[in-house]
Amino acid sequence: CGLTAKVLPHPRGGGRAFILLGAPLGRLAREAERIEMPVQVRADLHARLKAEKTPGDADDEAVETHAAVETHAAAEGGDEAYAPYSRRARDLYQLAAPPFLFACAQRTALLRSILEAPSEAGGCALDLSHLTRERVVSQVFALHDADERIALEEAWTTASAMAMAPAPLAKLCNYFGPQYALYFAYLRTYSLWL
């Protein structure tokens, strides 16, 4: 299914091992396109599309992306625009975590999607929850990306953690996912109310 694997022995032995799974960008891009993952459109492109309202003499891919951007922007609200990922329009998307197109949370979701997707769709057809229940797999978890974690730590200062400065919610969302970003946003708002 296009994944890379590395087996590391467990420090305590006992026939256990860590299996580190990864996927090259091309495989992640194919999966993002298959599941139509919403990806942030470049800010300069979004501003241009908002100003034009009609794509004019743009190519077909720009017309499709323009329609998708308008649909997602209307549905999501906010200043950022998202469109379903398309490999043909790769240059139209914002780098979520430079130099990566996909943020850490997106890469984790894509990898899990590849593992659980049916083999007809190019996936591994694994039922991870069943494998965990049957104790074939003891745990499934994502590893931290050191560079992204350090960048997040630098952006998330003590002042922002104590609600005295804006929290880097977009970076939190890109690294941990929307559920955790919402939690941190709630904590910040709650702390300000106190």
Side-chain angles (χ1 to χ4, degrees):
C1 46
L3 301 180
T4 59
K6 183 177 181 182
V7 178
L8 301 173
H10 193 280
R12 294 187 187 146
R16 296 183 294 175
F18 291 105
I19 302 174
L20 304 177
L21 296 174
L25 177 60
R27 181 63 185 101
L28 293 175
R30 281 197 316 273
E31 186 65 14
E33 190 170 53
R34 185 186 76 79
I35 65 172
E36 298 181 346
M37 175 178 267
V39 179
Q40 186 176 357
V41 176
R42 282 193 348 242
D44 61 319
L45 176 68
H46 181 229
R48 191 185 82 196
L49 290 175
K50 280 175 69 174
E52 289 178 1
K53 288 294 182 202
T54 58
D57 59 348
D59 61 13
D60 290 340
E61 191 63 35
V63 171
E64 290 174 23
T65 302
H66 181 272
V69 166
E70 291 303 316
T71 301
H72 278 272
E76 300 292 329
D79 295 332
E80 297 88 18
Y82 290 80
Y85 182 76
S86 169
R87 287 179 287 169
R88 292 185 301 156
R90 179 179 166 184
D91 295 337
L92 303 178
Y93 301 106
Q94 179 72 34
L95 292 176
F100 301 113
L101 172 63
F102 301 110
C104 189
Q106 290 173 318
R107 292 193 306 268
T108 301
L110 289 170
L111 192 55
R112 186 174 202 102
S113 179
I114 293 168
L115 289 170
E116 295 178 341
S119 54
E120 302 85 46
C124 299
L126 296 175
D127 184 350
L128 296 176
S129 58
H130 175 74
L131 292 172
T132 304
R133 273 193 313 274
E134 296 295 320
R135 299 193 182 272
V136 174
V137 173
S138 60
Q139 291 182 340
V140 177
F141 56 90
L143 297 177
H144 286 282
D145 182 295
D147 294 335
E148 285 185 65
R149 183 184 54 79
I150 290 168
L152 178 61
E153 287 175 357
E154 289 172 357
W156 200 14
T157 63
T158 303
S160 62
M162 294 174 48
M164 293 186 281
L169 293 178
K171 289 184 181 194
L172 286 167
C173 184
N174 284 341
Y175 191 76
F176 292 113
Q179 297 89 349
Y180 289 97
L182 180 62
Y183 173 73
F184 287 119
Y186 165 76
L187 284 181
R188 183 178 189 290
T189 302
Y190 184 73
S191 296
L192 286 172
W193 288 347
L194 293 177

